[in-house]
Structures are given as structure tokens and as C-alpha cells.
Amino acid sequence: MSHLKTLIGFLKDRWLLLAAWLILFVLTVLVFWLIPHSPLDWGTVGYLFLMQCVLLVFFLAVSFLAKRRFWQKLTPRSGENLLQNYLQGARSVEEERIERYINQLISEHQELMQQVVGNQEEQKEYIDSWVHEIKVPLAASRLLLHAVEFDIPDDKFILLENELNRIDAYVEQVLYVSRLDSFSKDYLVQEVSIKSVIQPVLRNQANYFIQKNLHYKVVGDDQSILTDEKWLSFIFSQLVSNAVKYTPDNGQLTIQIDKDPQGTYLRLIDTGIGIPPEDLRRIFDKGFTGENGRKTDTHSTGLGLYLAKNLAKELGIELTAASTVGKGTTMTLFFPLLSYYEEIR
């Protein structure tokens, strides 16, 4: 079907040639007719028409085959990017002009892409440098805060410490966003204990648990998994932060660890406000805050779950969400066993 469309397009582009041939044939017949004392032989006319048709079809076929070879160069194969390879092998002046023009576009595109990549690298280096620099005054502020701990009211101390923790969390988000593209250069997969990862995260959220009078419990036996401890810790911290943010005072968080023949499950179950059904399918989109995130007392950035989803994907972890408005949300991290993972691929 594609070859037929190509042929039809080829003939449409040469309608002037076909019209000129038809006019020439009519003029030839007219000349024979106008010759005096020479009766017009329609058999000769038919024979002449047939010969001209054969020559025309032969010419068009040779031209079509030559053009098709060049067109195939302009048609990318599966997985091929035409903007990465220069065209070569032009056989006519027209093809040389097209080839020269396309190669110039490819060259300009590659130069532009190199410039963009260079700018991105510079921006990433600046962000990394800024993140490390900002951590110094953050650490100094934390030390100063603890130095005056007994000179200010407890509620003020907890409030200031929470704000410092929030700033630190936002700084970490910026750092992980900048590292997302270079993930393959910055991870170490090894056998780790799930509880050894989640317990430090829960301790870091202690002030928020106290402030909102939230209770949590860990259910299930500890399990060992193959993953990168640092990146998994960040993923889980984003999930816990979201759960704490959207769970009202006196709520409950349950961390559930399960295992079956397919792999290990780490579930974070909260009794929060839940996610509306129309927002649930978009919560992992970059910058999406949804109805809950637009509330004035939550200050959502729309980056936490986006980072968690993408980092989990890089680690071979499946992150899913289930929620009921007014009852709570369950975030599930599934760690497939290697044999099962290879089998389903």
C-alpha cells in the first residue's frame, strides 16, 4: 500500500510531463491530418500512440526507481534517527542540492544540541555546587538553634526545627532532580535490609509526628532486598513526607512489609484525606499538585512523587498508589525477585 501511494505521488508530481506528452501526441496527429493528399491512417496513429506509451512508461519507471532509492535514504528505519547521519551518494544535480541542504540542517542541529547539552551540564554543575554550598549555612543554623534550645519556648524550637528540615528537604529535591538524568553514574546496588532504610527516615520525621500527634507502626518481618540504599531512602522519605502532610492530626501511618514468590512489598498506609479519583492517575506527573496540593496549608511542589516514581523505575522498583477520599492512601513499593523480573521481561 505504501509503494502504491509512493507511485501515485510520483505521477502527481509529473503531471506537467504527462500533459506535455499528451499535447505533443495530439499535435503529431494534427500534423498528419493536415498533410495534403495523405489520408489519415488510424492504425498508424494507434501504433504511434502505443510506441509512445511504451517509451513513456519505460522513462517513468527508470526515473521512479532512481528516485525511490534516494527517497529510502530520507525514510528513517525503525529506531534510526536521520538527524544523526549525513546523507551521501547523490546521483543527480537535484539530489545533490537536497543532500547538501539536509546535511547543512543536520550539522546545525548537532551544533545546537551540543550547545544545549553543554548548557545543561553547566546548569547541573551550578545546581550541585549551590546545593552543597547551601548545606553549610543550613548546618550552621541547626547548630545555632540547638545552642539556644533552652532559651526559647519548646513550641518555637520545634517550629524552627521543622522549617529547617523543610528547607533541607527542598534542597535535597533540587539535588535529586539534577541527578536524575545521570542516575546510571551514581548508584550502588547491594543487599540491604528494608527496616534499616525506613527507620532513619521515620526518625527524621519525628517532629512532625509529635506536632500532629501521628502514630505509626511497622508490620511484618524484615526482608532483604537488592537496591541502592541512598536512593531508596530518598524515595521512601518522599512518600512519608506526603503521608504526614495530608494526614490530619491524631492520624495513623502503617508501614507493612510482605513477601510472596514474585517479590517483596513495602506499603505505606495512611489515614489521610485521600486523593480524588480524577487526580490519582496524575499524581506522578512532574509539577502536578492536584486538588489537595492547592490547599493553602500544604505547600506542595509537585516534585516529590514525580522523583519517587522516576527513581523507583530506574532501580527496577514498581511504585503504585491506591486511595479512597476521606479514608486514606496506600503507596506500594514492589521489589521483584530477579528470577521473576527476568521472566516477565
Side-chain angles (χ1 to χ4, degrees):
M1 191 67 178
S2 60
H3 294 299
L4 179 60
K5 288 183 178 179
T6 303
L7 178 60
I8 293 174
F10 172 79
L11 294 176
K12 282 183 178 179
D13 288 342
R14 279 146 186 82
W15 69 270
L16 279 175
L17 175 64
L18 297 174
W21 168 79
L22 184 59
I23 293 172
L24 181 61
F25 176 76
V26 172
L27 289 175
T28 303
V29 174
L30 183 62
V31 168
F32 278 114
W33 181 66
L34 292 175
I35 295 176
H37 311 294
S38 179
L40 184 64
D41 186 355
W42 289 106
T44 303
V45 171
Y47 179 74
L48 181 63
F49 178 77
L50 179 61
M51 290 298 295
Q52 288 186 356
C53 283
V54 170
L55 290 174
L56 178 66
V57 170
F58 176 77
F59 171 78
L60 290 176
V62 172
S63 178
F64 175 74
L65 292 175
K67 292 291 183 184
R68 191 176 67 170
R69 178 197 59 81
F70 186 70
W71 292 336
Q72 287 174 346
K73 292 183 180 180
L74 303 179
T75 305
R77 299 182 182 88
S78 178
E80 181 184 13
N81 187 354
L82 281 178
L83 294 176
Q84 292 180 348
N85 301 314
Y86 290 100
L87 294 180
Q88 295 178 345
R91 295 184 179 180
S92 66
V93 175
E94 180 186 6
E95 290 181 5
E96 285 179 358
R97 290 179 178 177
I98 296 174
E99 189 176 276
R100 192 181 306 116
Y101 179 74
I102 292 178
N103 287 343
Q104 179 65 27
L105 291 179
I106 293 174
S107 178
E108 293 178 1
H109 169 77
Q110 290 180 349
E111 290 177 4
L112 180 61
M113 289 303 298
Q114 288 176 358
Q115 183 179 354
V116 170
V117 170
N119 291 339
Q120 287 180 338
E121 287 296 326
E122 290 179 4
Q123 185 180 26
K124 179 182 177 300
E125 290 175 2
Y126 171 76
I127 291 175
D128 288 347
S129 174
W130 177 86
V131 167
H132 290 297
E133 290 294 331
I134 202 68
K135 281 182 174 293
V136 175
L138 276 175
S141 300
R142 201 180 300 278
L143 290 174
L144 288 173
L145 179 62
H146 284 281
V148 297
E149 178 179 358
F150 300 105
D151 298 330
I152 60 176
D154 290 344
D155 58 337
K156 300 294 184 183
F157 173 81
I158 293 176
L159 182 61
L160 285 172
E161 191 171 38
N162 286 346
E163 292 303 319
L164 285 176
N165 288 336
R166 185 173 297 169
I167 294 173
D168 191 54
Y170 289 152
V171 169
E172 284 294 315
Q173 278 190 352
V174 172
L175 180 62
Y176 278 84
V177 167
S178 69
R179 289 179 175 176
L180 190 58
D181 291 335
S182 58
F183 174 85
S184 59
K185 302 177 183 178
D186 187 32
Y187 76 99
L188 175 63
V189 174
Q190 57 186 350
E191 187 174 354
V192 297
S193 159
I194 288 184
K195 287 189 176 180
S196 69
V197 174
I198 66 176
Q199 286 171 350
V201 174
L202 295 173
R203 284 197 296 268
N204 288 337
Q205 298 284 339
N207 279 347
Y208 297 107
F209 285 110
I210 294 172
Q211 190 176 7
K212 300 184 70 173
N213 194 29
L214 300 179
H215 303 276
Y216 76 86
K217 61 181 179 178
V218 180
V219 179
D221 297 330
D222 193 12
Q223 301 291 337
S224 294
I225 54 175
L226 288 174
T227 190
D228 182 279
E229 184 174 0
K230 179 184 69 173
W231 293 87
L232 177 59
S233 176
F234 177 79
I235 293 170
F236 187 69
S237 69
Q238 299 305 303
L239 302 184
V240 173
S241 177
N242 257 33
V244 170
K245 185 185 299 183
Y246 297 112
T247 299
D249 294 358
N250 303 310
Q252 173 79 40
L253 268 67
T254 302
I255 297 93
Q256 188 177 47
I257 303 172
D258 294 315
K259 187 175 183 179
D260 65 16
Q262 284 73 44
T264 302
Y265 298 84
L266 174 60
R267 295 184 177 91
L268 177 62
I269 307 167
D270 65 55
T271 57
I273 59 177
I275 304 171
E278 62 272 16
D279 289 349
L280 189 60
R281 60 186 177 86
R282 298 184 58 196
I283 59 173
F284 297 116
D285 293 349
K286 186 177 183 179
F288 181 75
T289 58
E291 179 183 334
N292 295 337
R294 287 190 290 270
K295 295 180 179 179
T296 56
D297 58 343
T298 54
H299 309 290
S300 176
T301 64
L303 285 177
L305 290 180
Y306 162 77
L307 285 171
K309 181 71 171 182
N310 282 272
L311 292 175
K313 183 179 179 181
E314 294 288 350
L315 288 171
I317 303 170
E318 183 181 353
L319 172 58
T320 56
S323 185
T324 303
V325 175
K327 292 186 178 180
T329 301
T330 299
M331 291 287 182
T332 303
L333 289 168
F334 171 58
F335 306 85
L337 292 178
L338 289 181
S339 58
Y340 175 72
Y341 184 69
E342 292 170 357
E343 198 175 280
I344 62 175
R345 286 184 66 182

